[in-house]
Amino acid sequence: MKVFVTGATGYVGSAVVRELIGAGHTVSGLCRSEEKAAGLKAAGAEAVYGTLDDLDTLGRAAAAADGVIHLAFTNDFSNFEGALDLDLRAVEVMGAALEGSGKPFITTAHANGHTVDQAVLAKAEQGVRASIVSLAPSVHGEGDKGFVPMMISIARAKGFAAYIGDGMNRWPAVHRLDAAVLYRLALESAPAGSRLLGAGDEGIPFHEIAAVIGRQLKVPTVGITPEEAAAHFGFLGTIAAFDITSLYNAKQASLETRELLGWKPMQSGLIADLEEGHYFA
């Protein structure tokens, strides 16, 4: 297929581009600069210059493609509602360009993005093979700039690695290369209206994550109270306390995704990835 990918130069998107090209697909990727375009071209992809608010560009690129994978998102936590509104407009434009074609349209779920998800699933009823991928909160691997590196920075600054309460709340995780395979399989065969979960580790106790951070940094691992969490973790305090696995029954959702698409995560789990040491270099 000729696949249009938004977020093609990002942490997950760059892995998706390489995965698609390695499987024989042709890729055009949205990017905003010559510097980013150079990386796309080096990977064997074509550059489409623009941003998420260039709706005409998005519509044309989607219409010219055999399928779309939408990974771009403006991570502006100071105006998260605005970021969701922009995502909705982008999804509506690209989805409209695919209506009646039967082509795949793979999007990514975001926190509080229910309206966007509903717009995607509506396209499944309008002749688009639309599906939604929810990634685990930790998408780990080389180049990770997400929650785990933030936790490492906090532990380094505070002098200890913390967990909340007994630390038995669980976090799903997925390696970025396994996530890339999931997006490719979704593009190739996910039924219209599918909801897919990308979780290689279905539920790691939070205290285990804290323990390996402590070992690698050579600092103590300490349990703190829920009341202390906000002061220690900042905005991560609420997330660090969640039993995320139970929020969306990660074990069952992961099993269903694997059975539906034949997805088999092959890369290191989060704990093994942390033990390799590259997060602490």
Side-chain angles (χ1 to χ4, degrees), residues 11 137-139 143-152 171 236 279:
Y11 173 61
S138 174
V139 182
D144 183 3
K145 294 181 174 63
F147 292 134
V148 171
M150 293 178 193
M151 290 164 52
I152 292 169
W171 271 27
L236 284 178
Y279 272 89

Side-chain angles (χ1 to χ4, degrees), residues 1 8 19 30 34 47 52 55 70 73 76 91 133 151 162 175 180 186 197 202 208 211 226 232 238 247 256 274 276:
M1 299 181 199
E19 173 67 25
L30 186 70
E34 289 289 348
L52 270 188
L55 299 181
H70 176 43
F73 189 75
D76 182 0
V91 161
V133 174
M151 290 164 52
H175 196 285
L197 175 63
E202 292 155 356
E208 292 185 14
H232 182 83
T238 302
L247 288 179
E256 291 172 358
L274 286 169
E276 289 178 10

Side-chain angles (χ1 to χ4, degrees), residues 15-87:
V16 170
V17 167
R18 289 193 293 273
E19 173 67 25
L20 292 171
I21 291 172
H25 299 292
T26 301
V27 177
S28 61
L30 186 70
C31 65
R32 66 178 68 200
S33 68
E34 289 289 348
E35 179 185 2
K36 297 292 188 181
L40 271 178
K41 292 172 184 176
E46 174 189 348
V48 175
Y49 293 92
T51 61
L52 270 188
D53 54 6
D54 293 332
L55 299 181
D56 289 342
T57 299
L58 295 181
R60 287 194 301 269
D66 298 318
V68 174
I69 297 179
H70 176 43
L71 291 158
F73 189 75
T74 303
N75 290 304
D76 182 0
F77 292 105
S78 67
N79 184 19
F80 195 69
E81 287 301 318
L84 288 173
D85 288 343
L86 177 59
D87 193 46

Side-chain angles (χ1 to χ4, degrees), residues 231-252:
H232 182 83
F233 286 111
F235 82 92
L236 284 178
T238 302
I239 300 169
F242 277 156
D243 185 19
I244 297 173
T245 293
S246 66
L247 288 179
Y248 48 75
N249 195 355
K251 187 176 182 63
Q252 181 62 32

